Amino acid sequence: MFDIIVLGGGPAGLSAAYSAWKAGAEKILIIERDKELGGILNQCVHNGFGLHYFKEELTGPEYAQRFIEMLKSTNVEVKLDTMVLDVSENKVVSAVNSVDGFMTLEAKAIILAMGCRERTRGAIAIPGDRPAGVYTAGSAQKYLNIDGYMVGKRVLILGSGDIGLIMARRMTLEGAKVLACVEVMPYSGGLNRNIVQCLNDFDIPLYLSHTIVDIQGKERVEKVIVAKVDESRRPINGTEMEFDCDTVLLSVGLIPENELTRGAGIEMDGRTNGAVVFENMETSLEGVFACGNVVHVHDLVDYVTAESARAGEAAAEYVKSGEKNAEIVTVKNGEGVTYTVPQKIRRTDNKFTEVFFRVNRVMADSKINVVSNGEVIATFKREHMAPGEMEKIIIPKKILDSASAEITIETKCEG
Amino acid sequence: MKEMICIVCPKGCHLKVDENNDYSVTGNACPRGAEYGKNELKNPMRMVTSTVKIEGALLRRCPVKTSVAIPKGKMFEVVQALNSVTVKSPIKCGDVIIKNVAGCEADIISAKSM
Ligand SMILES: Cc1cc2nc3c(=O)[nH]c(=O)nc-3n(C[C@H](O)[C@H](O)[C@H](O)COP(=O)(O)OP(=O)(O)OC[C@H]3O[C@@H](n4cnc5c(N)ncnc54)[C@H](O)[C@@H]3O)c2cc1C
Ligand code: SF4
């Protein structure tokens, strides 16, 4: 019997396991399906990781390595090359690898840290032929950075998510011609610094409010037709542009990987596509915690690390003293808010509670209100908010004490 | 007059930098923007990250980076210099792979122990 089994050895799993160990849990196991720890960080060779957590700009592999080194000072066990197949309601984990074969492992607490996967072409249904040469940006990144080969020479990128932007620069520097980045929304989905350093630096045009209307080619992509879209994202006739290219990269977002979570019957949130969690990252199933991209898609790994540290501490606490029973405050999404994490807050003696959320449009000079019973009980000011940047508010205990059993987070734009 | 977006903080102010007037910056909401705008025109610097071939390791590519930022105009030259390089495992994170790459005051260092 393990104290804690952590599913997934990316930054979330590494941080959760390390914090659980520091908080006193003893028999901890990380199960990772890949041949090495580090998760998606291993293929993110660009820098920009760790500015908040380590106060330095690290590359993905360097960031992962710091945590792998930290784990060496603990007794945390690791099983690599091992695939978790199932998690049951009574916390039995079924997994398989080529050394141990099929195994069932029991734990007092479980931490879900399986990360997310990319949305694929089917998920957003582009019309046209189905030739070779259409990749998700992340798989192209993996081919280039881990295996060492380029997926194409003349590239068009659909979607302005960070992975696509990073790949635009990476492939350009490696000798490919990136013709354009095409984004259906009127704003970019990626960080500003990536627009500047990955597109502008190389004179790669960004077409906002545009989309691909046709992909042509028999065996391999030969031509892509791009058109402007109207406010309801429908292509406008007569605005078509042709691009001769052999490759299309899709950078159209990530989806948390939650087959195991659903299989365990854990309550899900349709907005985050992840589990509904309490302030300590516990799910609806007692003793099962979740953290990182499996809960909601993070833009910065530093936030993944912090969130996962909370999950690890809470799991260790659960192993020691069992479930906390307390009144629950439900968090609702108000005007301008797409989702919040946590979705539920227990009234504990925590001095404050952090609530993370995303807004649904770009907002200047705005207010974030916490509303209870139709009354604003706290207000936070922001000069700038955007869907691509996760927001955070810190609610002090006093405010939470004054709230009813349901609070709403809403935004009011004044600019 | 050059227009650019400040990337120092998420606000992303739209800056105008006047090359003919001692690189004076307008449109910035704070002093950090003025400094960014000036440097960006006078002497833009970038970190470069890439991979090199590695032999004897579990995987075939070793991630590398410049030890410090290099002049923006040198980016292609630096990446080019990596094409002919093969390193051998074991290699430690931080090991120098090329000294003074492309004549810059920066080294190419390994970003992973492999
Ligand atoms: C391409 C890309 C670029 C990014 N760029 C930046 C950046 O510049 N700066 C920054 O701060 N952040 C960046 N991020 C964000 C950051 O890297 C992620 O938020 C972070 O890696 C998420 O960590 P995680 O542990 O939740 O998920 P992951 O890193 O995805 O780890 C999940 C792990 O779980 C394993 N797993 C899943 N299912 C199973 C199973 N059934 N059995 C066993 N193991 C399983 C996977 O193999 C994987 O190793 C980027 C993300 C991506 C995808
Ligand atoms: S000028 Fe100042 S406020 Fe504006 S983006 Fe730059 S750092 Fe941020």
Side-chain angles (χ1 to χ4, degrees):
Chain A
M1 170 78 96
F2 286 94
D3 277 352
I4 300 174
I5 299 181
V6 181
L7 311 188
L14 293 172
S15 164
Y18 183 70
S19 313
W21 168 263
K22 285 222 318 205
E26 270 157 18
K27 246 181 110 41
I28 304 174
L29 171 69
I30 300 177
I31 306 181
E32 167 58 52
R33 67 180 167 200
D34 223 329
K35 289 187 177 62
E36 53 179 354
L37 294 171
I40 200 81
L41 292 177
N42 286 316
Q43 70 180 65
C44 297
V45 304
H46 59 280
N47 69 332
F49 300 83
L51 264 177
H52 297 264
Y53 193 79
F54 291 114
K55 308 276 176 264
E56 316 176 41
E57 249 190 283
L58 302 171
T59 63
E62 288 173 307
Y63 191 93
Q65 195 127 19
R66 297 247 171 141
F67 276 90
I68 295 170
E69 292 299 323
M70 279 153 69
L71 269 190
K72 284 190 182 152
S73 66
T74 69
N75 282 342
V76 173
E77 292 170 55
V78 178
K79 273 193 191 300
L80 295 175
D81 233 339
T82 308
M83 178 83 184
V84 177
L85 305 172
D86 183 63
V87 178
S88 78
E89 253 173 73
N90 37 5
K91 300 199 268 287
V92 178
V93 174
S94 313
V96 63
N97 68 26
S98 54
V99 181
D100 310 284
F102 180 83
M103 55 196 140
T104 51
L105 305 162
E106 281 178 71
K108 294 177 191 154
I110 288 176
I111 301 177
L112 307 171
M114 293 90 69
C116 52
R117 60 162 185 269
E118 287 175 287
R119 279 181 209 274
T120 53
R121 191 181 172 199
I124 54 155
I126 310 168
D129 299 336
R130 294 283 183 272
V134 182
Y135 302 87
T136 61
S139 42
Q141 185 180 45
K142 188 161 189 202
Y143 285 134
L144 183 55
N145 294 345
I146 306 274
D147 304 323
Y149 61 89
M150 293 260 277
V151 295
K153 294 204 180 74
R154 292 176 62 82
V155 186
L156 190 89
I157 298 180
L158 176 65
S160 60
D162 287 313
I163 315 172
L165 300 177
I166 296 285
M167 280 308 284
R169 170 175 66 186
R170 187 83 176 92
M171 291 191 76
T172 305
L173 283 172
E174 291 297 330
K177 173 83 189 155
V178 178
L179 303 168
C181 177
V182 175
E183 168 61 58
V184 73
M185 302 304 281
Y187 51 84
S188 153
L191 300 171
N192 251 329
R193 55 176 290 154
N194 286 339
I195 303 275
V196 172
Q197 299 194 351
C198 299
L199 297 184
N200 301 1
D201 268 9
F202 303 99
D203 300 319
I204 300 168
L206 170 61
Y207 294 105
L208 297 173
S209 300
H210 278 71
T211 194
I212 292 183
V213 291
D214 196 13
I215 295 180
Q216 298 170 5
K218 284 208 187 69
E219 261 133 55
R220 177 86 195 190
V221 174
E222 287 163 19
K223 191 180 279 184
V224 172
I225 315 290
V226 169
K228 202 173 160 55
V229 296
D230 62 19
E231 270 129 52
S232 34
R233 282 182 248 161
R234 275 185 310 246
I236 304 169
N237 259 338
T239 62
E240 292 85 359
M241 296 183 277
E242 280 186 22
F243 291 92
D244 288 320
C245 57
D246 56 23
T247 304
V248 177
L249 294 192
L250 307 176
S251 180
V252 291
L254 302 162
I255 319 177
E257 187 147 335
N258 273 301
E259 282 70 22
L260 297 175
T261 320
R262 286 197 193 89
I266 288 168
E267 187 188 347
M268 300 288 294
D269 181 342
R271 292 166 180 250
T272 53
N273 286 311
V276 169
V277 290
F278 287 99
E279 79 295 337
N280 64 350
M281 303 314 289
E282 190 170 8
T283 67
S284 64
L285 188 57
E286 180 184 322
V288 177
F289 300 78
C291 54
N293 276 359
V294 79
V295 178
H296 59 136
V297 177
H298 295 66
D299 9 79
L300 290 181
V301 70
D302 308 65
Y303 298 153
V304 171
T305 298
E307 178 180 290
S308 308
R310 279 192 286 127
E313 280 161 25
E317 174 68 27
Y318 174 83
V319 169
K320 209 173 1 177
S321 24
E323 187 76 320
K324 274 206 189 89
N325 280 316
E327 252 183 75
I328 294 166
V329 178
T330 307
V331 187
K332 294 271 172 213
N333 309 308
E335 162 67 23
V337 174
T338 338
Y339 73 72
T340 69
V341 168
Q343 294 88 342
K344 291 176 183 172
I345 303 172
R346 288 200 189 92
R347 292 192 196 272
T348 56
D349 18 301
N350 289 346
K351 284 202 191 69
F352 59 83
T353 306
E354 293 175 328
V355 177
F356 298 86
F357 61 95
R358 279 185 198 273
V359 294
N360 63 8
R361 56 178 191 278
V362 179
M363 297 181 200
D365 294 318
S366 9
K367 272 188 194 154
I368 303 160
N369 290 332
V370 180
V371 183
S372 162
N373 272 336
E375 233 177 276
V376 176
I377 55 170
T379 295
F380 305 83
K381 282 200 171 139
R382 290 289 184 280
E383 281 182 6
H384 172 90
M385 293 196 285
E389 288 152 21
M390 198 163 71
E391 282 297 330
K392 173 175 99 172
I393 54 173
I394 298 175
I395 306 179
K397 182 172 188 313
K398 226 172 56 199
I399 301 284
L400 200 62
D401 285 346
S402 72
S404 61
E406 183 179 300
I407 56 172
T408 302
I409 312 291
E410 62 171 32
T411 57
K412 286 262 176 315
C413 191
E414 294 171 352
Chain B
M1 198 67 102
K2 259 230 126 103
E3 293 186 21
M4 63 176 75
I5 295 173
C6 177
I7 57 170
V8 178
C9 91
K11 194 168 178 194
C13 292
H14 290 259
L15 309 180
K16 282 197 175 125
V17 189
D18 191 348
E19 310 94 310
N20 303 323
N21 185 12
D22 193 25
Y23 297 91
S24 76
V25 178
T26 47
N28 55 312
C30 86
R32 287 185 299 167
E35 194 186 324
Y36 170 81
K38 198 175 207 164
N39 287 341
E40 204 38 35
L41 272 204
K42 283 174 95 166
N43 188 21
M45 304 288 277
R46 296 286 187 267
M47 290 288 291
V48 173
T49 60
S50 185
T51 63
V52 296
K53 203 164 155 195
I54 182 163
E55 281 171 0
L58 191 63
L59 300 166
R60 286 163 32 201
R61 307 296 298 186
C62 173
V64 299
K65 66 174 194 179
T66 49
S67 51
V68 290
I70 55 139
K72 183 173 148 184
K74 287 259 188 180
M75 283 193 290
F76 280 97
E77 229 179 294
V78 167
V79 173
Q80 218 107 74
L82 299 175
N83 286 342
S84 52
V85 175
T86 304
V87 295
K88 284 208 165 59
S89 171
I91 192 158
K92 281 221 309 292
C93 187
D95 281 359
V96 174
I97 294 174
I98 307 175
K99 260 205 107 45
N100 296 116
V101 63
C104 304
E105 279 172 37
D107 303 331
I108 290 288
I109 59 174
S110 160
K112 188 175 179 180
S113 301
M114 292 181 84

